Amino acid sequence: MADITITPANVLPGSNAGIDSGIAGETIAAGKTIYLNATNNRWMLSDNNGTGTRQVNGIALNAASAGQPVSIQKSGDITIGATLVAGQDYWLSGTPGGICPRSDLTTGMDPVLVGIAKTTAVLAISTIDPGVTL
């Protein structure tokens, strides 16, 4: 398989969404996984192939360029703008901001859970990082 294909215009928070806001440190599209960079206090794309970027603090709800405001969904249900498999778990991929099924993780990556699909459109955000590398 591959990363889920997200249509940014279709990304919507659920009624139980835990939302935060901040400033983007780079160009971010809605539906991408992001983390808060402790060095510059800016939101950046998570990346399972990077150093210091293998963490997920939420999913972007809007597009933003560097220096612009971004809304971040940290918990709850999100209509992710992609077709999911209900009951499937989804993980941080090796593509910046990407989300993939567990089967796409390879040696050298960290298994960072993003969430579990409640339906074919809704992802229940549940970020878990056990701090191990495959």
Side-chain angles (χ1 to χ4, degrees):
M1 292 189 80
D3 286 3
I4 60 173
T5 302
I6 297 171
T7 302
N10 295 339
V11 174
L12 300 168
S15 61
N16 63 346
I19 299 173
D20 198 356
S21 62
I23 303 297
E26 63 185 321
T27 300
I28 296 171
K32 295 296 185 179
T33 56
I34 55 179
Y35 74 99
L36 185 60
N37 182 309
T39 303
N40 62 11
N41 203 34
R42 300 285 171 113
W43 290 90
M44 310 287 284
L45 293 172
S46 302
D47 184 355
N48 213 333
N49 284 329
T51 301
T53 62
R54 295 179 183 198
Q55 55 187 305
V56 176
N57 296 130
I59 297 175
L61 290 173
N62 63 284
S65 296
Q68 292 183 322
V70 63
S71 293
I72 307 98
Q73 184 167 339
K74 294 183 164 188
S75 62
D77 298 338
I78 185 170
T79 298
I80 196 67
T83 301
L84 306 172
V85 176
Q88 171 80 46
D89 45 332
Y90 289 91
W91 302 78
L92 172 62
S93 82
T95 304
I99 300 171
C100 68
R102 171 72 171 88
S103 58
D104 281 6
L105 298 182
T106 60
T107 301
M109 293 178 136
D110 292 3
V112 180
L113 180 67
V114 176
I116 299 173
K118 292 179 77 171
T119 70
T120 57
V122 176
L123 185 71
I125 297 174
S126 180
T127 57
I128 299 174
D129 182 353
V132 298
T133 300
L134 299 176

